[in-house]
Amino acid sequence: MKIVAIAGSIVGSKTRTAIDYTLNIAREKYPDAEITLLDLAEYNVVFSDGRNYMEYEGDTKVVTKTIMAADAIIIGTPTFQASIPATLKNIFDLLPVNAFRDKVVSMLVTAGTTRHYLMVEQQLKPILAYMKAHIVPKYVFIEEKDFHRKEIINDDVLFRMERLVEDTVLLVEAYAGIRKAKDTEYDF
């Protein structure tokens, strides 16, 4: 199973901290999984210009091909101006409309206040649904108060991260089983 985590911002540290915690849980619970982190701050991704993702070069091609090869994607995003950052939106724009077909996508969201809780429901989930993702219904919302010096100090958040990883992997396995059963019906 290939799990790709995306730290969807090029500034700040809270989202990266949350993704790191989550990936540590994933590596511990699922040591056979192939886990890749795409921290967008570490890549020089160009703006989408409408080309097929395979036509881009450099970091843009690496990032998009890595996402397209994943079975599961864990998206970590901060909330900027009550929305997702442009760097993350650009990734979606670079990919084809069916990019997440047969992929499970789960989400971690960092924000300064609870007022941004519904950003996921009103913006991120509709984009993922449009791109045909199997969306893990529950996501982890982490507020400013849950951090102290690049550490997550809220045990409930840590528990929800563990559950998010578990739900992501279980959904990948469930959908793989369903696809396998369906493929055997075709008798090829």
Side-chain angles (χ1 to χ4, degrees):
M1 174 181 320
K2 292 182 181 179
I3 300 171
V4 172
I6 302 170
S9 176
I10 58 172
V11 297
S13 63
K14 289 178 179 59
T15 300
R16 173 62 191 260
T17 297
I19 284 289
D20 286 343
Y21 269 81
T22 304
L23 292 184
N24 287 338
I25 293 166
R27 287 181 182 105
E28 183 179 310
K29 289 184 78 111
Y30 303 100
D32 294 336
E34 182 183 322
I35 298 172
T36 304
L37 170 62
L38 294 174
D39 183 345
L40 298 183
E42 297 174 357
Y43 293 89
N44 183 20
V45 177
V46 300
F47 285 111
S48 171
D49 61 15
R51 282 184 279 168
N52 182 297
Y53 76 97
M54 294 295 293
E55 295 176 20
Y56 290 94
E57 297 295 328
D59 285 351
T60 305
K61 189 170 190 170
V62 169
V63 168
T64 56
K65 284 183 72 174
T66 301
I67 292 169
M68 293 298 290
D71 299 306
I73 300 164
I74 301 172
I75 295 174
T77 182
T79 306
F80 293 157
Q81 304 295 346
S83 185
I84 62 174
T87 51
L88 182 58
K89 177 62 168 81
N90 186 49
I91 295 299
F92 298 146
D93 292 344
L94 287 162
L95 298 171
V97 68
N98 296 328
F100 298 140
R101 183 179 304 283
D102 297 328
K103 297 181 190 318
V104 172
V105 180
S106 55
M107 298 154 284
L108 293 161
V109 180
T110 58
T113 174
T114 56
R115 290 181 295 209
H116 297 299
Y117 185 78
L118 290 177
M119 180 275 291
V120 174
E121 299 293 338
Q122 296 171 344
Q123 294 180 28
L124 190 52
K125 281 186 177 182
I127 293 168
L128 297 174
Y130 178 77
M131 296 178 78
K132 314 297 187 277
H134 295 299
I135 301 169
V136 175
K138 302 236 184 228
Y139 53 92
V140 179
F141 184 83
I142 312 168
E143 293 179 69
E144 182 82 28
K145 68 180 183 175
D146 298 321
F147 290 93
H148 180 70
R149 295 185 182 169
K150 295 188 180 185
E151 297 289 327
I152 296 175
I153 57 172
N154 184 330
D155 288 338
D156 183 56
V157 168
L158 297 172
F159 171 77
R160 287 185 282 131
M161 287 174 156
E162 189 170 330
R163 184 64 189 263
L164 182 81
V165 168
E166 191 174 285
D167 288 350
T168 302
V169 170
L170 289 174
L171 275 176
V172 169
E173 291 171 348
Y175 284 121
I178 291 167
R179 277 193 308 278
K180 184 177 180 183
K182 197 67 176 165
D183 287 348
T184 60
E185 288 180 16
Y186 292 121
D187 195 32
F188 290 135

